[in-house]
Amino acid sequence: MRKLLLLVIIVCISWFAIHNKYPNIDVKSEVEQIKSELAAVKENPDFSNFIERFSAEIKELGVQLDSSINQLSQNKEELKSTILEKPTLSAPNAQVFSVYNIELGDTKTQVEQELGAPKRSTYNEYGVKWYTYHKNYQHFLMAAYDKNNKVVGLYTNQDLISSSKGIKLGAPKEKVINELGKPMDRMQKGLVYYLIPKERDYDLFLIGDSYTTVFYDKHQKNTVTAIQIIRKDIEREKNDFYTKGSKQLEEGFEYQLFDLTNAARVQHGQNALTWDSRIKETAQKHSKDMAVNHFFDHTNLKGQSPFDRMEEDNIRYRVAGENIAYGQLSSIFAHEGLMNSMGHRENILKPDFRLLGVGVAFNSKSQPYYTENFYTK
């Protein structure tokens, strides 16, 4: 029926076209002739067979088209599932390092689901806080977060480092250089370039979107002893080499140096020390004295030794010691420097000590002075 209707429509269109172009033609007789010829064609068995074959082929084509569309849809879902389930470790921005399987960009919620609540949070030189995680100073790490609670900084001095380059705690410096390339020799802050000292116990690398500092232990054949990772934009927001001193930054550096010292002790098989507020005041007064009066020495301008100052503050001890540091831009750099100085290292790892207080003060150039006082009652 549809075929016949199509033929009638064609005839009508043809009639109007012919009539408009050739008005003198006897259209009625022409139409009758066309109808007669169409009837003959319709009765022709070859025409009927052609129509049936054509219809069957169209139907088969429709089935194949439906099948292809379904297959494409399945392939799309499989591809989507593959992309979501498999991380693109070879992507240009893939991170080289993680600490305890934590990477920059992870959320605070993810970190604390794995590690629990932080033991302490204190301000650092980047204007954000270091959150300290550990279990009696084992599995020690510090993480910093931005305003969206995304990880922007990581540090550890224990065996928690993983790397796609095979770099871990105890790896030789040569392997680090071979895998990461030439270290940076300067750092830009605002319009000023600060040269990184040639004689140093660490290397700084710009890796993707982060600045990575690898610290070495020169008393262990220059092997990796710690790592700090800071997101690039956080580092670049710090416009000067030193951060302007403040009470909260003093306190932050003091507690950070205390925690770093304990983490190093535990890493080397020693007991953790207990914070002592009384001797903290002794340490803080000496740091302030050095900062204000522009000297750097265990003996102050009055000729008093650390033990004289402890006695003056009525602190009784069986064994005691003092570490001082100056000019390091953070408690992390101060601690790593002290660990590479044998006399200071011995105090940090001395098994006889039980108590520790740390005092920090800044001079007029925002350079920090650090004093650690150790003792046992």
Side-chain angles (χ1 to χ4, degrees):
M1 186 65 183
R2 291 180 179 175
K3 298 172 188 175
L4 185 58
L5 179 59
L6 178 60
L7 290 173
V8 171
I9 292 171
I10 293 172
V11 169
C12 292
I13 293 171
S14 301
W15 184 86
F16 283 109
I18 294 170
H19 181 73
N20 290 334
K21 190 169 183 180
Y22 305 104
N24 297 325
I25 292 179
D26 186 353
V27 175
K28 186 181 290 188
S29 62
E30 292 294 334
V31 169
E32 291 298 327
Q33 183 177 347
I34 291 170
K35 288 171 66 177
S36 176
E37 291 175 358
L38 286 174
V41 169
K42 186 178 177 181
E43 295 298 326
N44 189 317
D46 292 336
F47 176 77
S48 299
N49 292 338
F50 169 77
I51 292 298
E52 290 176 2
R53 287 198 308 274
F54 183 74
S55 298
E57 290 174 1
I58 290 294
K59 185 176 180 180
E60 179 63 25
L61 183 61
V63 171
Q64 292 177 3
L65 184 60
D66 288 342
S67 176
S68 298
I69 290 172
N70 289 335
Q71 186 62 47
L72 285 172
S73 179
Q74 292 176 7
N75 291 344
K76 178 182 176 182
E77 291 303 316
E78 290 175 2
L79 181 60
K80 181 179 178 182
S81 175
T82 300
I83 291 172
L84 289 175
E85 291 177 3
K86 296 182 179 179
T88 55
L89 295 179
S90 61
N93 291 327
Q95 295 186 38
V96 172
F97 288 100
S98 65
V99 175
Y100 212 166
N101 294 323
I102 299 166
E103 296 182 344
L104 298 190
D106 288 348
T107 66
K108 187 178 180 183
T109 299
Q110 290 173 314
V111 173
E112 296 189 355
Q113 282 176 345
E114 181 69 25
L115 303 180
K119 302 296 184 181
R120 196 192 311 278
S121 64
T122 51
Y123 280 97
N124 62 27
E125 69 275 19
Y126 295 104
V128 295
K129 290 183 176 181
W130 280 124
Y131 289 76
T132 305
Y133 301 90
H134 60 86
K135 295 180 180 179
N136 297 320
Y137 290 101
Q138 295 179 341
H139 301 137
F140 175 87
L141 67 89
M142 298 196 298
Y145 305 98
D146 64 12
K147 62 183 179 181
N148 297 315
N149 279 329
K150 295 291 185 68
V151 176
V152 296
L154 288 167
Y155 169 88
T156 189
N157 58 0
Q158 295 188 357
D159 191 12
L160 306 176
I161 303 167
S162 299
S163 170
S164 61
K165 301 289 187 180
I167 299 169
K168 57 184 180 180
L169 200 77
K173 180 176 180 177
E174 293 76 15
K175 179 176 178 61
V176 175
I177 303 298
N178 289 339
E179 295 294 338
L180 301 183
K182 184 180 178 181
M184 297 174 63
D185 60 3
R186 65 192 63 197
M187 168 74 79
Q188 184 177 2
K189 292 295 178 185
L191 300 177
V192 179
Y193 281 94
Y194 291 90
L195 295 178
I196 298 172
K198 291 184 179 180
E199 298 298 322
R200 61 182 186 269
D201 300 316
Y202 62 89
D203 283 322
L204 176 65
F205 303 90
L206 178 57
I207 305 174
D209 292 330
S210 66
Y211 286 98
T212 299
T213 305
V214 180
F215 297 93
Y216 306 108
D217 188 339
K218 72 179 185 182
H219 300 295
Q220 297 290 332
K221 299 180 180 180
N222 275 328
T223 53
V224 175
T225 189
I227 189 170
Q228 175 183 270
I229 309 167
I230 301 293
R231 201 172 72 189
K232 183 167 62 177
D233 61 315
I234 299 298
E235 178 65 62
R236 291 185 174 177
E237 285 174 5
K238 189 162 78 78
N239 293 323
D240 206 344
F241 188 74
Y242 293 108
T243 301
K244 186 176 180 180
S246 66
K247 193 64 181 176
Q248 67 181 16
L249 189 56
E250 282 181 3
E251 185 178 89
F253 281 177
E254 289 166 355
Y255 281 116
Q256 289 156 26
L257 192 51
F258 172 78
D259 287 336
L260 291 164
T261 299
N262 273 337
R265 286 178 66 89
V266 170
Q267 177 69 13
H268 287 82
Q270 301 299 330
N271 61 292
L273 303 176
T274 300
W275 178 265
D276 187 89
S277 298
R278 291 180 63 220
I279 207 165
K280 175 257 189 283
E281 293 300 322
T282 304
Q284 208 278 331
K285 284 189 292 186
H286 186 56
S287 288
K288 187 174 182 180
D289 187 16
M290 290 189 290
V292 171
N293 293 297
H294 310 292
F295 74 96
F296 180 64
D297 201 305
H298 289 286
T299 301
N300 66 19
L301 299 180
K302 297 179 182 179
Q304 293 176 312
S305 72
F307 312 106
D308 294 330
R309 295 192 298 274
M310 293 179 195
E311 185 176 345
E312 185 177 63
D313 289 340
N314 297 314
I315 294 174
R316 302 289 181 260
Y317 58 86
R318 290 189 291 109
V319 58
E322 180 178 87
N323 285 349
I324 57 174
Y326 156 67
Q328 292 87 353
L329 59 89
S330 75
S331 53
I332 288 174
F333 281 84
H335 169 73
E336 298 300 336
L338 291 168
M339 284 293 289
N340 275 313
S341 171
M342 183 51 73
H344 297 100
R345 182 189 185 97
E346 288 176 351
N347 275 342
I348 291 172
L349 301 180
K350 193 176 184 68
D352 295 338
F353 289 146
R354 293 292 180 269
L355 303 169
L356 171 61
V358 181
V360 173
F362 293 88
N363 66 14
S364 59
K365 297 180 180 179
S366 293
Q367 297 168 321
Y369 288 76
Y370 308 83
T371 301
E372 292 182 304
N373 284 148
F374 306 81
Y375 79 114
T376 299
K377 294 179 180 180

